[in-house]
Amino acid sequence: LMASSRLLTKILADFLSSFYLLNYVLKHATNHTQDRYHTFEKTMQFNYSKKHLKGDLILGIVQIGIGLASLLTNSMGQFFQYGWLLIGTITLYKNFKGRKTPYLILENETLLTQYLFGYKKTLISEFNEIEKKNNSLILKNDKKKKKIWTWLAEKNTPELLFAGINKIITERQKTE
């Protein structure tokens, strides 16, 4: 009888501690989910991936190196010598800009995509469907398609951007 009461006490203690742990985990998960939901309400910014920026940096340095080498050896015409220097400078400028400003910005119903001189604006309200491909997202409506390259951005960008745009599109469709 004494052994069975100890066993019953142990089972009850294990049950209560596992119930407490489960309650704690579910509460934390609920708070985390609510925090993620609120991030869609605010502006979402996505940066270039480090791999892409490193590749651009190396490419720019190589292009400037080719330009300088051809200037010193006078092996190409002046058009190509200065052309390589110009292209290398533009590539390094793009790399510097990519490190300082985000690649994609999703705010309200607008998606801003960084280009060499400024951002290109895409109104999400013009589209009624979104499709996820391997390295891009495709916004569609009856008349046109818009491709957004996500391979340039950080690792989790496609999923978060898809969820944010899909939320905007479904909310708009519910109100119509």
Side-chain angles (χ1 to χ4, degrees):
L1 188 66
M2 189 66 144
S4 65
S5 77
R6 284 186 185 169
L7 182 62
L8 187 61
T9 306
K10 182 171 176 9
I11 291 172
L12 184 62
D14 287 346
F15 172 77
L16 289 176
S17 62
S18 60
F19 180 76
Y20 173 77
L21 182 62
L22 180 65
N23 189 24
Y24 175 77
V25 168
L26 288 176
K27 182 179 178 186
H28 177 71
T30 303
N31 289 340
H32 180 67
T33 303
Q34 290 170 351
D35 290 345
R36 280 184 49 208
Y37 174 77
H38 289 300
T39 60
F40 293 137
E41 301 296 324
K42 301 174 187 170
T43 300
M44 298 174 73
Q45 297 183 352
F46 305 100
N47 296 322
Y48 281 104
S49 69
K50 301 291 183 209
K51 184 178 176 183
H52 175 74
L53 291 172
K54 190 186 297 184
D56 260 2
L57 180 65
I58 292 169
L59 183 64
I61 291 170
V62 167
Q63 290 167 338
I64 288 178
I66 291 171
L68 288 174
S70 65
L71 267 174
L72 294 174
T73 60
N74 208 10
S75 60
M76 297 182 200
Q78 281 189 334
F79 175 76
F80 290 109
Q81 293 170 344
Y82 292 110
W84 278 110
L85 290 173
L86 179 66
I87 291 170
T89 305
I90 289 171
T91 304
L92 288 178
Y93 168 74
K94 188 177 133 195
N95 181 276
F96 175 75
K97 187 176 176 186
R99 291 178 188 275
K100 297 295 179 191
T101 57
Y103 169 53
L104 296 167
I105 301 173
L106 178 64
E107 60 183 353
N108 300 329
E109 290 196 7
T110 306
L111 178 68
L112 301 171
T113 308
Q114 186 188 102
Y115 283 90
L116 187 58
F117 300 107
Y119 284 92
K120 184 174 182 183
K121 183 187 275 189
T122 304
L123 295 174
I124 296 176
S125 58
E126 295 177 356
F127 301 94
N128 54 14
E129 186 180 347
I130 184 169
E131 181 181 339
K132 190 186 325 185
K133 294 286 186 176
N134 288 343
N135 56 7
S136 65
L137 298 176
I138 301 171
L139 295 169
K140 298 179 184 178
N141 68 11
D142 298 334
K143 298 177 184 175
K144 64 181 178 178
K145 290 182 179 181
K146 168 74 175 156
K147 187 176 259 190
I148 303 163
W149 294 106
T150 56
W151 64 274
L152 300 170
E154 293 173 324
K155 190 175 184 178
N156 295 329
T157 297
E159 293 82 22
L160 292 172
L161 188 60
F162 178 83
I165 293 174
N166 196 29
K167 180 179 182 285
I168 292 169
I169 290 173
T170 54
E171 283 182 355
R172 190 176 40 81
Q173 287 174 345
K174 286 179 186 178
T175 59
E176 290 178 353

